[in-house]
Amino acid sequence: MGRDLSQAKSSWLAKINRTLSVAPMMDCTDRHCRYFHRLLSKNLLVYSEMIVDRSIIFGDRERLLSFNPKEHPIAIQIGGNDPKLLAEATKIAIDFGYNEVNLNVGCPSSRVNSGNFGAALMKNVDLVSECVEAMVRAAGNTPVSVKSRIGVDNQDPEEILPSFISKVRDSGCNTFIIHARKAILKGLSPKENRKIPPLNYPIVFEMQKYFPDLEIILNGGIKSLAEAKNHIGKKVVGVMIGREIYENPSILINVDRDIFDKGGLVSNMDDVLRSMIDYCDNEMSQGFNIDHVLKHLKGAFKGTPTSKKFKRVVFSRELSDLEKLNAIKTLLN
Ligand SMILES: Cc1cc2nc3c(=O)[nH]c(=O)nc-3n(C[C@H](O)[C@H](O)[C@H](O)COP(=O)(O)O)c2cc1C
């Protein structure tokens, strides 16, 4: 496959606004968390946690893939390295209604690395290219994106990144989310790999210059919307933020106005939490444990005097579900 398919795909790009997205994060960005973020912004693009292709094909699909229709626009991130399995998983995900399918080429965990996918794939560009090509064919009109690092181990990003992008673009991918640091596959834990290798934004900006027709999305270490705004549309098409949004979700208040330039949609955390209480009521009525929802709200009041009290309620072992929801109500204005 050459540029034809890639060019055809560019016409679909307009459908997804990638100005600002929430990073895929294992054990964080599940359906409850995404619903919460969606209440804070109608425009953000949200991502699933990484789901391995085999789990999608052979596992409990309903549990792994289902989501609330209000979460749209939503992307699924898939982990794998077998074009056939990735294509099958892509088809299944699209039948569930995901708006974008993303291939993980950035996860450095030893489990993922020993399966030779995630960041380890940066050492095998031809295989990434085959995987993406198979996914693009399976995806039909739905865009396929790649999330990568700037390189791994002793690779030279200046050398590897342009050739990686160029090759994978030729397989039909027009969107590259780049975590702007290397992954060190041996010797650093996943957590250390999100901190220790230094951030290198300039190389990501360079990629946007080299490939002006592609959507390059900068990820890594961005702490505020003001910082994001400095990059968006100037140096890269979009920005992806992970930890800061998860730990301090109130940075999303006003995001629709300040980043997406949409008026009249400003939310406040108290109203959002009232909606989350309704959401929890509904989860409870279906027999689900609301602790799985509440844990994602823990940072809602970060930096305010309410934060400590709120977290005490959220993580209480003494209070029943109902008591927790009532206690949260009393903390809201
Ligand atoms: C708890 C946690 C889990 C993560 N899980 C994934 C994952 O499943 N897939 C992925 O591509 N990146 C994953 N990441 C990396 C983030 O997507 C992101 O690239 C990284 O945190 C850097 O962005 P940030 O500095 O804005 O957090 C994870 C990060 C964290 C903190």
Side-chain angles (χ1 to χ4, degrees), residues 23-28 48-50 77 102 104 106-107 147 149 179 181 194 219-222 240-244:
M25 287 178 284
M26 294 289 279
D27 299 324
C28 300
S48 74
E49 305 161 90
M50 181 184 76
Q77 187 186 61
N102 176 270
N104 182 321
C107 179
K147 180 166 180 282
R149 299 285 184 129
H179 183 176
R181 48 164 70 89
R194 294 192 285 265
N219 169 242
I222 296 161
M240 171 182 269
I241 302 179
R243 286 164 290 187
E244 192 60 29

Coordinates of all heavy atoms in Angstrom, one line a residue, residues 23-28 48-50 77 102 104 106-107 147 149 179 181 194 219-222 240-244, ligand 1:
A23 N -4.6 11.0 27.6 CA -3.7 9.9 27.3 C -4.3 8.6 27.8 O -5.0 8.5 28.8 CB -2.3 10.1 27.9
P24 N -4.1 7.5 27.0 CA -4.5 6.2 27.5 C -3.6 5.8 28.7 O -2.4 6.0 28.7 CB -4.1 5.2 26.3 CG -3.1 6.0 25.5 CD -3.3 7.4 25.7
M25 N -4.3 5.4 29.8 CA -3.5 5.0 31.0 C -4.2 3.8 31.6 O -5.3 3.8 32.0 CB -3.6 6.2 32.0 CG -2.7 7.4 31.6 SD -2.7 8.8 32.7 CE -4.3 9.5 32.3
M26 N -3.3 2.7 31.7 CA -3.8 1.5 32.3 C -4.3 1.8 33.8 O -3.6 2.5 34.5 CB -2.7 0.5 32.4 CG -2.1 0.0 31.1 SD -3.3 -1.1 30.3 CE -3.0 -2.6 31.1
D27 N -5.3 1.1 34.1 CA -5.9 1.2 35.5 C -6.5 2.6 35.8 O -6.8 2.9 36.9 CB -4.9 0.8 36.6 CG -4.5 -0.6 36.4 OD1 -5.3 -1.4 36.0 OD2 -3.3 -0.9 36.7
C28 N -6.5 3.5 34.8 CA -7.0 4.8 35.0 C -8.2 5.1 34.0 O -9.3 5.3 34.4 CB -6.0 5.9 34.8 SG -4.6 5.7 36.0
S48 N -9.1 4.7 25.5 CA -9.2 3.6 26.4 C -7.8 3.3 27.0 O -6.8 3.8 26.6 CB -9.7 2.4 25.7 OG -8.6 1.8 24.9
E49 N -7.8 2.4 28.0 CA -6.5 1.8 28.5 C -6.0 1.0 27.3 O -6.8 0.6 26.4 CB -6.7 0.9 29.7 CG -7.4 1.6 30.8 CD -8.0 0.6 31.8 OE1 -7.3 0.2 32.7 OE2 -9.2 0.2 31.7
M50 N -4.8 0.6 27.3 CA -4.3 -0.4 26.3 C -5.0 -1.7 26.5 O -5.0 -2.2 27.6 CB -2.8 -0.6 26.4 CG -2.3 -1.6 25.3 SD -0.6 -1.9 25.4 CE -0.6 -3.0 26.8
Q77 N -7.1 2.0 22.4 CA -5.7 1.7 22.1 C -5.5 0.2 22.2 O -5.9 -0.5 23.2 CB -4.8 2.3 23.1 CG -3.3 2.1 22.7 CD -2.3 2.6 23.7 OE1 -2.3 2.1 24.8 NE2 -1.5 3.5 23.3
N102 N -6.0 3.0 17.9 CA -4.6 3.4 18.1 C -3.7 2.2 18.4 O -4.1 1.3 19.2 CB -4.5 4.4 19.3 CG -3.1 4.8 19.6 OD1 -2.5 4.2 20.5 ND2 -2.6 5.8 19.0
N104 N -0.4 0.8 20.1 CA 0.6 1.1 21.2 C 2.0 0.7 20.7 O 2.3 -0.4 20.6 CB 0.3 0.4 22.5 CG 1.2 0.8 23.6 OD1 2.4 0.9 23.4 ND2 0.7 0.9 24.8
G106 N 4.6 2.4 22.5 CA 5.3 3.2 23.4 C 5.4 2.6 24.8 O 6.1 3.1 25.7
C107 N 4.7 1.5 25.1 CA 4.7 1.0 26.5 C 6.0 0.2 26.7 O 6.3 -0.7 26.0 CB 3.5 0.1 26.7 SG 3.4 -0.6 28.3
K147 N 0.8 5.5 18.7 CA 1.4 6.3 19.8 C 2.7 5.7 20.1 O 2.8 4.5 20.4 CB 0.5 6.2 21.1 CG 1.0 6.9 22.3 CD 0.0 7.1 23.4 CE 0.5 7.9 24.6 NZ 1.3 7.0 25.5
R149 N 7.2 6.4 21.2 CA 8.2 7.3 21.9 C 9.0 7.9 20.8 O 8.8 7.7 19.6 CB 9.1 6.4 22.7 CG 8.4 5.6 23.9 CD 8.1 6.6 25.0 NE 7.5 5.9 26.1 CZ 7.9 6.1 27.4 NH1 8.9 6.8 27.7 NH2 7.3 5.5 28.4
H179 N 5.1 10.5 22.6 CA 5.6 10.8 23.9 C 7.0 11.2 23.8 O 7.9 10.3 23.4 CB 5.4 9.5 24.8 CG 5.8 9.7 26.2 ND1 5.6 8.7 27.2 CD2 6.3 10.7 26.9 CE1 6.0 9.1 28.4 NE2 6.5 10.4 28.2
R181 N 9.9 11.4 24.9 CA 11.1 10.9 25.5 C 11.3 9.5 25.1 O 10.4 8.8 24.6 CB 11.0 11.0 27.1 CG 9.8 10.4 27.7 CD 10.0 10.2 29.2 NE 10.1 11.4 30.0 CZ 9.1 12.1 30.6 NH1 7.8 11.7 30.4 NH2 9.3 13.1 31.3
R194 N 8.6 7.1 32.6 CA 7.7 8.3 32.3 C 8.3 9.5 32.9 O 7.7 10.6 32.9 CB 6.3 8.0 32.8 CG 5.6 6.9 32.1 CD 4.1 6.9 32.5 NE 3.8 6.4 33.7 CZ 3.5 5.1 34.0 NH1 3.4 4.2 33.0 NH2 3.2 4.7 35.2
N219 N 3.0 14.6 23.4 CA 2.7 14.1 24.7 C 3.9 14.0 25.6 O 5.0 13.8 25.1 CB 2.1 12.7 24.5 CG 1.9 11.9 25.8 OD1 2.5 10.9 26.0 ND2 1.1 12.5 26.7
G220 N 3.6 14.2 26.9 CA 4.7 14.0 27.9 C 5.0 15.3 28.7 O 5.4 16.3 28.1
G221 N 4.6 15.2 30.0 CA 5.0 16.3 30.9 C 4.3 17.6 30.8 O 4.7 18.6 31.5
I222 N 3.2 17.6 30.1 CA 2.4 18.9 30.0 C 1.5 19.0 31.2 O 0.8 18.1 31.6 CB 1.7 19.0 28.7 CG1 2.7 19.0 27.5 CG2 0.8 20.2 28.6 CD1 2.1 18.6 26.2
M240 N -1.6 15.8 23.9 CA -2.2 14.8 24.7 C -1.6 14.9 26.1 O -0.4 15.0 26.3 CB -1.9 13.4 24.1 CG -2.3 12.3 25.0 SD -1.8 10.7 24.3 CE -3.3 10.3 23.4
I241 N -2.5 14.9 27.1 CA -2.1 15.1 28.5 C -2.6 13.8 29.3 O -3.8 13.4 29.1 CB -2.7 16.3 29.2 CG1 -2.2 17.6 28.4 CG2 -2.2 16.4 30.6 CD1 -2.7 18.9 29.0
G242 N -1.8 13.2 30.1 CA -2.2 12.1 30.9 C -2.3 12.4 32.3 O -3.3 12.7 32.9
R243 N -1.1 12.3 33.0 CA -1.2 12.4 34.5 C -1.8 13.6 35.1 O -2.5 13.5 36.0 CB 0.3 12.2 35.0 CG 0.8 10.8 34.9 CD 2.3 10.7 35.1 NE 3.0 11.3 34.0 CZ 4.3 11.2 33.8 NH1 5.0 10.6 34.7 NH2 4.8 11.8 32.7
E244 N -1.5 14.8 34.5 CA -2.0 16.0 35.1 C -3.5 16.0 35.0 O -4.2 16.5 36.0 CB -1.4 17.2 34.4 CG -1.6 18.5 35.1 CD -1.1 18.6 36.5 OE1 0.0 17.9 36.8 OE2 -1.6 19.3 37.3
Ligands
LIG1 C1 -0.8 4.9 35.2 C2 -0.4 5.1 33.8 C3 -0.7 4.1 32.9 C4 -0.4 4.3 31.5 N1 -0.8 3.3 30.6 C5 -0.6 3.6 29.3 C6 -1.2 2.8 28.3 O1 -2.0 1.9 28.6 N2 -0.9 3.0 27.0 C7 -0.1 4.0 26.6 O2 0.2 4.3 25.4 N3 0.5 4.8 27.5 C8 0.2 4.6 28.8 N4 0.8 5.5 29.8 C9 1.6 6.6 29.3 C10 0.7 7.8 29.0 O3 -0.2 7.6 28.0 C11 1.5 9.0 28.7 O4 2.2 8.8 27.5 C12 2.6 9.4 29.7 O5 2.0 9.4 31.0 C13 3.2 10.8 29.4 O6 2.2 11.8 29.4 P1 1.9 12.7 30.7 O7 3.2 13.3 31.1 O8 0.9 13.8 30.2 O9 1.3 11.9 31.8 C14 0.4 5.4 31.1 C15 0.8 6.3 32.1 C16 0.4 6.2 33.4 C17 0.8 7.3 34.4

